[in-house]
Amino acid sequence: MVKLSAPKVPKAQDVHLSLLLVITVAIFLGMSVLKPGMFLSVNNLRAMSFQLPEFALLSLAISVTMLTGGIDLSIVGTAVLSATVGVLFLDSGWAGDSDLVAAGAAILISLVTGAICGFFNGTLITRVRISPILATLGTMQLFTGLTVVLTGGTSLFGFSEYYLFLGNGSIAVVPVPLITLLVATGLMAFLLNRTTFGFKLYLLGNNPTAARFAGIDNNRMLLKTYILSGVLASLSGLTMAARTNSVNADYGTSYLLFAILVAVLGGIDPAGGFGRVTGLILAVLSLQFLSSGLNMLR
């Protein structure tokens, strides 16, 4: 039985990952030396653990589409719309008097909303034949507009403690958002490197024609990929809404370019076919260390 795995990463990408690791460690050590009392404080490390996951999840969402040679510019719109739909359900009282059940249902509805947004993007790309950048640029505006309609242009706030636990809670001193990121990252790494889905995804991004002649249904793979991107984006939206105890149509508008930066810096090839989750995490860490350190240095 032939074991399928992701295509071998070029030596240049191995060098890139090694260099990125050195840069990340250098930034951490540099900021630790310049501001040891502040940068290495428990409060700062915890603050970074709460802030970093929402950016990283968005970066994962856009990276999985970039591996196919496409892109999903609607990730922020998907994140905010998904969180909004879940929060509206949370406030509706449909789940009864149990805050725990209501929070669980709201989270599930948000994830389903993200999957629907991803399905819509994938359908536009595979069936209507609109290029990914144009399709998702349009849906970015669509999803944001729907959020404005649903919220009435105002902020929604005041969620239950069980819902807020997703963005502010801790399990054995480890922040829940960080646990969410670690689980999502582990699953993504397994999916891309140890399953036929990952093998097909890399092959599709590297050479769509070869993938088609190898018997891969390119359209079906793209549809699955954009659904996965939508779910990851909605997970980021959940984390953001729970951490800030609010949701607004304008929230996270600056995160899109940051997510693209993280993906490219992490070694994801915009042309598709190459990239690792490891590089993505290193890129997020390096930028988070740099941002926090520079803020402390004023």
Side-chain angles (χ1 to χ4, degrees):
M1 182 176 180
V2 179
K3 181 180 179 181
L4 295 179
S5 61
K8 296 295 183 180
V9 178
K11 186 177 180 180
Q13 289 228 334
D14 286 330
V15 173
H16 177 85
L17 286 176
S18 300
L19 181 60
L20 189 56
L21 176 60
V22 171
I23 291 173
T24 304
V25 173
I27 293 174
F28 181 82
L29 293 177
M31 295 305 175
S32 299
V33 171
L34 293 173
K35 284 287 183 179
M38 297 177 63
F39 189 79
L40 294 178
S41 67
V42 174
N43 289 336
N44 181 53
L45 294 177
R46 280 182 60 82
M48 288 192 292
S49 297
F50 280 105
Q51 295 170 4
L52 180 146
E54 56 195 50
F55 300 121
L57 289 169
L58 280 178
S59 300
L60 279 174
I62 201 169
S63 294
V64 72
T65 60
M66 291 175 69
L67 286 174
T68 67
I71 196 169
D72 186 356
L73 298 179
S74 69
I75 52 172
V76 175
T78 299
V80 178
L81 177 61
S82 300
T84 300
V85 172
V87 164
L88 289 174
F89 175 84
L90 188 66
D91 293 338
S92 67
W94 291 356
D97 297 329
S98 174
D99 289 340
L100 179 59
V101 173
I107 292 171
L108 180 60
I109 288 173
S110 292
L111 294 176
V112 171
T113 302
I116 292 173
C117 291
F119 178 82
F120 185 63
N121 283 332
T123 300
L124 290 177
I125 294 167
T126 60
R127 301 302 178 188
V128 188
R129 300 297 180 182
I130 303 176
S131 65
I133 190 170
L134 291 180
T136 57
L137 183 63
T139 54
M140 174 182 69
Q141 301 296 332
L142 173 62
F143 299 155
T144 302
L146 287 174
T147 304
V148 172
V149 172
L150 291 174
T151 61
T154 61
S155 296
L156 304 178
F157 56 89
F159 312 140
S160 69
E161 59 177 323
Y162 293 106
Y163 187 88
L164 295 178
F165 183 77
L166 184 65
N168 297 285
S170 297
I171 298 177
V173 307
V174 181
V176 172
L178 184 59
I179 294 175
T180 302
L181 173 62
L182 292 175
V183 172
T185 301
L187 290 175
M188 281 297 298
F190 177 80
L191 188 65
L192 292 176
N193 298 316
R194 293 290 183 268
T195 67
T196 55
F197 175 84
F199 176 82
K200 293 176 181 179
L201 184 66
Y202 279 111
L203 182 58
L204 172 63
N206 191 43
N207 193 327
T209 303
R212 185 168 59 253
F213 279 104
I216 296 174
D217 188 336
N218 290 2
N219 287 340
R220 188 175 181 181
M221 277 300 303
L222 284 173
L223 189 61
K224 290 180 179 179
T225 300
Y226 280 88
I227 291 175
L228 177 59
S229 176
V231 172
L232 289 169
S234 66
L235 193 57
S236 176
L238 281 168
T239 305
M240 286 189 282
R243 185 175 69 85
T244 60
N245 193 22
S246 67
V247 64
N248 186 289
D250 293 330
Y251 196 84
T253 52
S254 62
Y255 291 176
L256 176 60
L257 291 179
F258 186 87
I260 296 174
L261 169 64
V262 168
V264 176
L265 181 63
I268 304 297
D269 189 347
F274 299 104
R276 284 179 175 176
V277 173
T278 306
L280 201 70
I281 298 304
L282 287 175
V284 173
L285 286 173
S286 63
L287 290 175
Q288 182 64 63
F289 293 157
L290 186 63
S291 174
S292 297
L294 290 178
N295 284 335
M296 292 176 181
L297 293 171
R298 300 186 184 278

